[in-house]
Amino acid sequence: MKTLLVVDDRSDVVEVVKSRLQANNYQVIVASDGREGIKKAQQYKPDLIVMDILMPNYSGGEAVKVLKSDAATKHIPVIFLTAAASSVADGEEPGRVCVDGQFYPALGKPFKPEKLLFEIKKLVGD
Amino acid sequence: MPKPTRPVSAATVPKPVVPRHRLEVGTISHDDLVQEVNMRKAVEDKLRRSNDGIKMLYKELVKTNAQLKEFDQRKDDFVNNVSHEIRTPLSIIRESISQVSDGLFGKVPAKQKRHLDKSLVNVDRLANIITDLLDVAKIENMKLQLYKAKVNMTSLVEDVVSNFESKVKAKGLELKCELPDTDVNASIDQEKVIQVFVNLMSNAIKFTQKGHIRISIEEKDDLVECHIADTGRGIAQEDLPKLFNKFEQIGRHHGSAEKGTGLGLTISKGIVELHGGKISVASEEGKGSTFTFTLPQNLLHEGVIQNLKSVLLSAIEKFNQFTVIKLNVDVPKDQLKAQSALVDKLIRACLYRKVDDVVQDGRKIYILLPGTKKADCTVVIERIKRELKQHDNAKVHLDVQVTSYPDDGLTEDELIWKLLSEEERA
């Protein structure tokens, strides 16, 4: 069973994303800001991280920068899930968010669960 | 570009001095001469004072402008925050409903599921309206930033059309695509122009029950003209003028299955006009509609003028005096790209101070020298000439023009006007 880390400062967002992922047979760990996200990622080495962008104590972008510069976590794929409208347009394809010249798939909130699951599956398998 | 006004308006200029006594030829008395000289001095004094006054007023305006800009920024932040604050709870509502509907917490009776799904559709609609409203707000405040690049319109249209193929087929319509065999390049913001095509294509499909959708582009002078034509229900003559208005969903009462946000055409019009193009529609009820929009092929020049304008504006705010040198570099067209990079590098090497700035537009190069008087810039020009000669005397021929603030103009528009050649002003 794959393990996913969900990082979002809104506990109710974390809750709904978690229950959706669990229903699709993923094991889910959570964090409530960028700093905790980094810690949990280093501790548990999840197969993928679903990351919010606007958060206190390290934004999603800053957290990804840290994780990508750490040999132990730099291989972990990241999907951004954000309400910042300017970052993501709700097109057919996932949007992209650029951190340090590197592009990551990004979904806008409100997200379509089938899109989120599809993007996760693309990166980690079932 | 508006013709800059002179710094002194007609109202403040004193009437020309006419000596009280018309003098006979050859008999100018000493007194009259003294009087005339004094009067002229007085006039000059007045002019200088009013000019100083205008300069002060201008500085004041620049300050006020900066304050207004700050308010404007706060307003933009507010709009963005509102969008963010609405989207987060919407995502929780959507996902909660969606999970119940998907049976994550137990089987849901069909009737209840229908209601839940209806809620989902409308949450999505609300999210789309927020996105579109944000776009409209940006367009209306001239805040929609275009990221222009040279784009091949032929392949852009091919991509858009291929994304619609299945949708068109599913409705039993024919999709006709008429594109030139060659590349058609335009200087556009690719994402935004795709948005226009997608809006117009979606509308065409939505309002067409049988027949075809035809999409075509053609080059006309320095424009690219794009057409999206359908054989749908068409638009009543009296509705045509309202078509591009906000929330104007013509024919909504016909009960369309897919409801839009009512902002698609407003946004499309805004995007096309931001590019300097035009959008129009021809339609006959029951026969179909044709939307046509144009995009300028090359807006490089206009972009540079905008850039130059902002450089000049901030220089006016920061410095009491500066000089702009414009160099016309004569390079054969096929060597322009390679040469301009080199020329740019050489010129920057000639500028010793950090505050000096360079704006380049193909053959034209604008150099900003803060704190420098017109007379003092010859040193720099000579240095540049020497440098260019050393490296490449065969290909580069220089033509130099100099304009100074505040002597030649008090506003950025005025200075640019002075710098542009006859043909550029047109």
Side-chain angles (χ1 to χ4, degrees):
Chain A
M1 194 190 259
K2 305 281 183 186
T3 302
L4 311 182
L5 170 61
V6 178
V7 189
D8 201 306
D9 60 324
R10 292 286 300 254
S11 60
D12 32 15
V13 172
V14 170
E15 201 183 310
V16 290
V17 175
K18 184 178 172 183
S19 67
R20 175 65 76 179
L21 296 178
Q22 282 175 336
N24 285 272
N25 297 316
Y26 292 108
Q27 188 175 334
V28 180
I29 45 178
V30 302
S32 62
D33 63 32
R35 190 183 292 157
E36 197 190 350
I38 296 168
K39 225 170 78 188
K40 292 257 171 99
Q42 288 165 337
Q43 195 178 344
Y44 296 102
K45 311 277 182 324
D47 297 289
L48 179 142
I49 304 171
V50 178
M51 182 82 85
D52 186 19
I53 292 183
L54 293 174
M55 294 183 288
N57 304 325
Y58 284 81
S59 71
E62 287 163 344
V64 167
K65 262 190 209 174
V66 173
L67 292 172
K68 290 294 161 184
S69 60
D70 181 345
T73 53
K74 68 186 227 190
H75 64 280
I76 305 174
V78 174
I79 294 175
F80 283 108
L81 188 61
T82 175
S86 50
S87 342
V88 187
D90 188 35
E92 288 301 312
E93 311 277 346
R96 297 188 306 169
V97 164
C98 181
V99 179
D100 263 353
Q102 185 78 40
F103 284 101
Y104 300 91
L107 297 173
K109 289 174 186 166
F111 64 94
K112 297 205 168 68
E114 58 274 18
K115 270 196 202 172
L116 178 64
L117 292 167
F118 179 76
E119 290 305 315
I120 293 174
K121 200 170 169 178
K122 253 196 338 204
L123 290 166
V124 301
D126 289 303
Chain B
M1 180 189 288
K3 190 172 176 160
T5 49
R6 293 298 311 159
V8 179
S9 75
T12 60
V13 179
K15 289 203 174 76
V17 182
V18 181
R20 271 182 305 158
H21 311 290
R22 224 339 105 226
L23 299 169
E24 297 293 318
V25 181
T27 58
I28 302 172
S29 76
H30 181 260
D31 282 356
D32 282 340
L33 209 55
V34 169
Q35 199 176 5
E36 164 121 24
V37 167
N38 284 341
M39 275 182 89
R40 286 201 178 190
K41 265 189 187 155
V43 169
E44 241 173 56
D45 251 18
K46 243 188 192 158
L47 264 179
R48 197 174 306 121
R49 266 202 300 278
S50 75
N51 219 344
D52 285 349
I54 287 165
K55 273 187 210 169
M56 260 164 61
L57 206 62
Y58 187 72
K59 293 264 173 191
E60 201 58 39
L61 276 176
V62 168
K63 212 172 103 188
T64 317
N65 191 27
Q67 277 168 350
L68 284 174
K69 267 187 195 157
E70 201 197 312
F71 289 140
D72 207 33
Q73 180 61 44
R74 271 191 235 158
K75 196 189 69 196
D76 285 355
D77 291 348
F78 173 75
V79 171
N80 280 320
N81 285 342
V82 166
S83 155
H84 183 260
E85 292 310 313
I86 296 173
R87 285 169 167 280
T88 302
L90 265 187
S91 72
I92 296 158
I93 296 170
R94 192 194 192 284
E95 191 50 20
S96 298
I97 298 171
S98 170
Q99 288 180 12
V100 174
S101 165
D102 287 354
L104 257 61
F105 313 109
K107 203 171 161 17
V108 184
K111 198 173 173 189
Q112 286 183 22
K113 191 171 159 53
R114 264 206 308 280
H115 279 83
L116 292 172
D117 290 347
K118 206 185 280 175
S119 308
L120 278 185
V121 169
N122 281 284
V123 169
D124 288 342
R125 181 140 184 264
L126 194 52
N128 288 338
I129 290 175
I130 292 164
T131 308
D132 282 1
L133 268 178
L134 210 61
D135 276 352
V136 169
K138 281 185 196 154
I139 287 169
E140 290 187 343
N141 294 322
M142 312 285 286
K143 285 290 163 53
L144 196 73
Q145 185 77 40
L146 293 183
Y147 298 100
K148 280 191 211 165
K150 190 169 146 191
V151 174
N152 178 7
M153 294 284 296
T154 316
S155 57
L156 180 144
V157 172
E158 272 169 359
D159 282 353
V160 172
V161 167
S162 70
N163 276 329
F164 277 100
E165 252 159 23
S166 59
K167 216 174 174 185
V168 174
K169 223 175 246 166
K171 227 180 154 180
L173 302 171
E174 196 189 340
L175 189 58
K176 297 178 177 177
C177 191
E178 291 165 16
L179 301 174
D181 298 329
T182 52
D183 289 358
V184 175
N185 289 316
S187 167
I188 56 165
D189 184 321
Q190 178 159 326
E191 294 304 314
K192 300 286 189 308
V193 171
I194 287 177
Q195 204 179 337
V196 176
F197 274 110
V198 167
N199 278 340
L200 295 178
M201 287 287 285
S202 307
N203 277 349
I205 296 167
K206 196 182 342 183
F207 295 111
T208 305
Q209 297 309 323
K210 59 171 196 244
H212 65 258
I213 314 282
R214 201 182 67 241
I215 179 165
S216 61
I217 62 170
E218 53 184 318
E219 267 181 297
K220 272 194 179 166
D221 298 325
D222 51 354
L223 296 172
V224 182
E225 205 171 82
C226 313
H227 308 273
I228 289 106
D230 64 57
T231 54
R233 80 157 86 102
I235 305 151
Q237 285 302 313
E238 67 264 26
D239 286 337
L240 283 175
K242 298 186 281 183
L243 204 57
F244 293 97
N245 293 354
K246 266 175 287 188
F247 293 118
E248 199 73 62
Q249 286 182 310
I250 309 288
R252 195 209 288 262
H253 47 276
H254 290 287
S256 154
E258 296 167 75
K259 292 191 182 83
T261 62
L263 294 166
L265 286 178
T266 311
I267 293 170
S268 300
K269 182 169 186 267
I271 292 172
V272 168
E273 287 176 355
L274 269 178
H275 277 88
K278 285 201 177 90
I279 190 166
S280 62
V281 58
S283 187
E284 199 177 328
E285 247 180 314
K287 295 242 171 107
S289 310
T290 301
F291 283 82
T292 300
F293 65 95
T294 56
L295 294 167
Q297 284 198 288
N298 189 2
L299 276 174
L300 179 67
H301 175 66
E302 192 179 292
V304 170
I305 295 299
Q306 275 306 323
N307 187 6
L308 184 63
K309 232 183 199 178
S310 62
V311 167
L312 290 177
L313 185 65
S314 78
I316 290 170
E317 286 170 20
K318 273 191 272 185
F319 309 110
N320 288 325
Q321 183 174 54
F322 61 82
T323 291
V324 185
I325 305 172
K326 179 188 181 188
L327 304 173
N328 291 299
V329 184
D330 195 4
V331 184
K333 200 172 182 181
D334 54 322
Q335 296 165 13
L336 187 61
K337 240 189 187 149
Q339 286 290 321
S340 65
L342 176 70
V343 169
D344 186 65
K345 210 174 118 197
L346 292 176
I347 286 176
R348 282 178 198 273
C350 292
L351 303 173
Y352 298 159
R353 302 177 309 166
K354 244 192 181 149
V355 286
D356 298 339
D357 207 348
V358 182
V359 176
Q360 192 173 12
D361 174 17
R363 288 189 173 82
K364 287 150 214 117
I365 298 158
Y366 302 89
I367 304 167
L368 176 80
L369 303 171
T372 308
K373 273 190 225 146
K374 204 179 223 171
D376 298 337
C377 71
T378 40
V379 188
V380 180
I381 295 173
E382 287 311 312
R383 205 187 298 146
I384 290 170
K385 277 186 178 165
R386 256 200 324 272
E387 187 76 12
L388 288 178
K389 214 174 212 167
Q390 267 178 16
H391 281 84
D392 214 322
N393 50 357
K395 288 175 196 135
V396 179
H397 169 76
L398 276 189
D399 176 23
V400 185
Q401 228 171 310
V402 181
T403 298
S404 288
Y405 170 86
D407 306 334
D408 296 324
L410 287 171
T411 67
E412 69 278 13
D413 280 334
E414 213 175 333
L415 293 169
I416 286 177
W417 181 258
K418 289 267 165 68
L419 285 168
L420 295 182
S421 63
E422 286 293 331
E423 55 182 303
E424 285 173 307
R425 287 175 194 176

